[in-house]
Amino acid sequence: MKTLYFTLIAAWFAASSVSAEPKAQYGGYSMYPSMTMDSVQVVLQVFHDYVNSLEMINVEAGDELQQAIAAIPVAGDTPITPAQEADLRTWLYDLLVAFSVSSSDSLSAAFYLREGVNNPEAIEKLKNQLASKGLLKGETPFDILKAGHRKRLDEREYDYYFGKVSFFDSAFEVSERKTEPSPYMGSLMERGMIPPAAASTSSSKMKSEVQEHLQAGKPQTFVEVMFIVEEPEEFAPFEGAARTPFFFRMAWDPDKAMWRQVEIVYCIGKPYFLFSDI
């Protein structure tokens, strides 16, 4: 099996290097403990060549980004309503803009609080950390997240996180489930979609609510989406701005009439969402 996997990856790499046109078959990047160093290097090269072959658009508020998001297809056998689809596209637009050159500390804080406060303990911990450094100018969750966002940007010497984005190969994959899905990281690994140095984070509150919903015998609608972002070139620590994929799993909350974040998978060391469980 290891030999077959390596052969398939090597063949895919050879085919992809023939043409400059990216192919719509994102996958084949997962790392396995049994892989040899040579096969790992092949996977790394395939991943690097793929993400750097993609045409990107600037992440900033405006028609270009809205139109690109509007063109992302909705896939899967589970239908969603026009209102659900609109909220999904609005969520993605707001998320990207909140961490782009078009944003501000206030806009980022407002996005973090889109669902309200799910984890008061995390907010209190962040509040104490900021207060101990004299960085807090208010007591509300908005004040705390605004100051916390600025602190993390300053620590990384960034003004914002997202410079460009690609939705090539992206789709909103909708499914309805009667039981809790397997962890997102494991699901992506089975599909060969995890690049090197990946990590996951989840919303403990939302995961608990999903479990209660399913245990009550109520089906839950999920959506998963992947897109690739490029850090702002002016802040890149090395020559050439890094590109990295993000994977989001969301669940529909009928009471709040909105999609809520369940899990994120991202690459360690790249710009990522700093307060994912608040």
Side-chain angles (χ1 to χ4, degrees):
M1 180 61 72
K2 181 176 69 176
T3 302
L4 176 60
Y5 179 78
F6 173 75
T7 301
L8 289 172
I9 293 294
W12 191 87
F13 169 58
S16 67
S17 64
V18 172
S19 172
E21 292 295 323
K23 296 183 178 181
Q25 54 181 84
Y26 184 77
Y29 307 125
S30 295
M31 301 288 117
Y32 292 93
S34 60
M35 292 177 68
T36 66
M37 183 58 68
D38 287 343
S39 59
V40 167
Q41 290 301 317
V42 169
V43 173
L44 289 171
Q45 188 63 53
V46 172
F47 171 73
H48 177 82
D49 288 351
Y50 175 83
V51 297
N52 285 289
S53 70
L54 298 176
E55 182 178 349
M56 313 286 279
I57 64 170
N58 292 328
V59 180
E60 54 186 331
D63 291 343
E64 183 181 28
L65 183 60
Q66 288 181 328
Q67 290 168 6
I69 292 174
I72 299 173
V74 176
D77 298 328
T78 303
I80 57 176
T81 67
Q84 287 175 314
E85 182 176 340
D87 186 72
L88 190 57
R89 298 189 192 280
T90 298
W91 161 80
L92 181 53
Y93 178 82
D94 289 348
L95 172 131
L96 290 169
V97 170
F99 301 97
S100 75
V101 68
S102 300
S103 190
S104 65
D105 297 341
S106 293
L107 190 60
S108 298
F111 181 82
Y112 283 128
L113 290 170
R114 175 178 175 271
E115 299 179 16
V117 175
N118 290 322
N119 191 339
E121 293 81 6
I123 292 288
E124 186 67 20
K125 182 178 179 180
L126 178 59
K127 173 185 174 182
N128 293 334
Q129 291 173 348
L130 294 167
S132 69
K133 297 180 181 297
L135 300 175
L136 197 59
K137 297 180 180 179
E139 297 289 324
T140 68
F142 180 85
D143 295 326
I144 295 166
L145 287 165
K146 180 180 176 181
H149 178 71
R150 173 47 48 189
K151 175 178 179 291
R152 294 296 178 85
L153 282 174
D154 289 345
E155 288 174 345
R156 289 170 172 260
E157 298 183 337
Y158 276 58
D159 286 345
Y160 58 99
Y161 287 128
F162 295 156
K164 296 182 179 181
V165 66
S166 172
F167 301 121
F168 184 82
D169 249 3
S170 296
F172 295 114
E173 299 180 6
V174 184
S175 63
E176 184 179 83
R177 306 183 189 227
K178 296 181 180 179
T179 59
E180 187 176 6
S182 60
Y184 198 17
M185 176 78 85
S187 166
L188 292 169
M189 285 191 69
E190 290 176 0
R191 294 158 61 187
M193 296 178 72
I194 293 293
S200 65
T201 185
S202 62
S203 166
S204 56
K205 174 68 172 176
M206 190 56 190
K207 285 179 71 69
S208 176
E209 290 185 17
V210 165
Q211 290 172 348
E212 292 176 4
H213 191 89
L214 293 169
Q215 289 170 1
K218 302 175 183 177
Q220 178 74 63
T221 302
F222 294 91
V223 65
E224 296 173 354
V225 64
M226 177 277 296
F227 52 91
I228 294 173
V229 297
E230 180 180 285
E231 65 185 332
E233 189 171 1
E234 61 267 38
F235 307 127
F238 306 104
E239 184 177 354
R243 295 181 177 184
T244 183
F246 278 95
F247 304 84
F248 282 82
R249 174 181 282 171
M250 313 281 286
W252 178 252
D253 185 331
D255 295 327
K256 292 189 174 184
M258 66 189 305
W259 294 98
R260 295 176 61 192
Q261 176 184 305
V262 181
E263 294 181 74
I264 307 173
V265 176
Y266 60 92
C267 291
I268 297 172
K270 302 296 189 291
Y272 66 96
F273 298 93
L274 303 167
F275 310 114
S276 58
D277 191 14
I278 52 88

